[in-house]
Amino acid sequence: MNDGRYTPPPLPADPPSLERERLPQWSHDETAAFLAIRADLDHSFVSTKRNKALWEAASARLHSLGFARTPDQCKSKWKNLVTRFKGTEAVVADPQTAARGSSSFPFHEELRRIFDARVERARALVRKKAKGKDPDDHDDGGGGDGGEGDEEEAEQLEEEDDDRASGETMRSGSKKRTRKAAARRSGLEGEVEAMLREFMRRQLEMEERWMEAAEAREAERRAREEEWRTAMVALGEERLALVRRWRDLEDAWRARAEEREERRHQLVAAVLAKLGAGDAS
């Protein structure tokens, strides 16, 4: 304040967090490359509880393809893609609106292939375990009983009908055991289907909760940003009020100074007039 005037301080700049959150959009090629990498790592994601290292691996593979994305950005993009996939699943299931659903979300088929491959892997694993544990796969004797019945029938062609009926009963029992084993395997596959549906439902619920938490954090960030902007507006108005008050005080000070100067001139003029009058007399 060299010339007697008040210089207001500059307004603070925008918070740095706003600049950090302005991220570039994902291009179509970048998203397609990311889905190919995610499909390749899907088995590891399903079998591993802590997948931080897998997101880092996905980020590194994107970097090798010329796309700079952090692990957190890859994770957030996957959550958004799954959410959009769920939103278009019902539309694509309807033949009359399938074209509209595919155009609204161009990566629907890529997501479906990933989830279908996951379900198929789980089915294969359960079938493998069921095959190793089902006793009818080892000792039901279906083929052996059939061969024994054929052998008895060949040896006793000329014997009485009751002997042939006995052989037919044996073969019938073997067929019943085979059908029972097939029914058990069918029931096991049904249980696997139900287990997989429950698994997918829980996973989608977890992803929905994650999206809700992310939306809540975004709403909180926006509320804080709005509060910051309101505080900056109030601070600017307070600064302008201080400037106006200072200018009013400065104008009043100048007016008083001019009034004193005018009185001084009048006093000097009066003294000079008296002195001139005394000299003349």
Side-chain angles (χ1 to χ4, degrees), residues 11-19 22 228-229 232:
L11 287 174
D14 289 340
S17 60
L18 299 180
E19 290 296 331
R22 295 192 182 101
W228 177 87
R229 292 184 183 278
M232 291 301 102

Side-chain angles (χ1 to χ4, degrees), residues 209-262:
R209 287 196 295 270
W210 185 91
M211 290 299 298
E212 290 175 357
E215 291 175 356
R217 289 193 298 270
E218 178 65 16
E220 182 179 0
R221 184 194 65 79
R222 290 179 179 176
R224 290 180 178 178
E225 181 181 346
E226 186 64 25
E227 182 180 357
W228 177 87
R229 292 184 183 278
T230 303
M232 291 301 102
V233 171
L235 182 60
E237 292 177 353
E238 182 180 358
R239 186 197 65 174
L240 292 176
L242 290 174
V243 170
R244 286 194 295 267
R245 183 179 178 184
W246 177 263
R247 287 180 178 176
D248 291 341
L249 292 174
E250 186 178 11
D251 292 341
W253 177 83
R254 287 184 177 178
R256 288 194 299 270
E258 291 175 357
E259 184 178 357
R260 287 194 299 269
E261 188 68 20
E262 182 65 24

Side-chain angles (χ1 to χ4, degrees), residues 80-146:
N80 292 334
L81 289 173
V82 171
T83 300
R84 293 192 62 187
F85 172 77
K86 291 189 300 181
T88 57
E89 181 69 12
V91 178
V92 175
D94 188 357
Q96 297 180 356
T97 58
R100 186 181 63 187
S102 300
S103 61
S104 63
F105 182 46
F107 300 102
H108 183 275
E109 291 302 322
E110 287 80 350
L111 268 296
R112 174 175 289 278
R113 283 195 291 269
I114 292 175
F115 290 125
D116 288 346
R118 182 184 300 179
V119 173
E120 190 61 31
R121 287 195 303 269
R123 288 179 179 174
L125 179 61
V126 174
R127 284 197 297 267
K128 183 178 179 181
K129 292 182 178 179
K131 184 177 180 181
K133 295 180 180 180
D134 192 353
D136 293 322
D137 289 336
H138 300 284
D139 57 357
D140 64 350
D145 290 347

